[in-house]
Amino acid sequence: PISGFNATFANLMPKPGSVAFVSQSGAMITSVLDWSVGQKVGFSAVISVGAMMDVDFSDFIEYLANDENTKSIVLYMETIG
């Protein structure tokens, strides 16, 4: 959202904001993005991690913790472990 780059199935671009959203589910991302537009909620980043073959949640948390546009991080995890 901050960069304006959207590689999701969502057809709407959310507003820029200070919350990063990281999810294992592309369907959850699409639902949250659709909801956010109507509620005028913005994001600093929206990341779909998929099967996490080469990266995991800790990689994204570390990256976003150092991102000046991100003030909080929301995670949607389908499994832990």
Side-chain angles (χ1 to χ4, degrees):
I2 295 292
S3 69
F5 180 72
N6 183 355
T8 71
F9 293 112
N11 61 351
L12 302 171
M13 180 66 79
K15 295 173 47 168
S18 61
V19 176
F21 180 46
V22 183
S23 173
Q24 279 183 295
S25 168
M28 179 63 75
I29 285 178
T30 301
S31 296
V32 169
L33 290 180
D34 288 346
W35 168 85
S36 73
V37 172
Q39 298 299 311
K40 297 181 175 45
V41 173
F43 295 96
S44 58
V46 177
I47 301 169
S48 177
V49 298
M52 296 187 292
M53 297 297 288
D54 294 330
V55 295
D56 60 24
F57 279 107
S58 66
D59 296 311
F60 293 111
I61 292 168
E62 182 178 351
Y63 173 80
L64 293 166
N66 293 306
D67 176 32
E68 66 183 33
N69 296 308
T70 300
K71 304 299 179 218
S72 60
I73 302 168
V74 175
L75 302 175
Y76 175 77
M77 302 171 74
E78 294 178 343
T79 58
I80 297 175

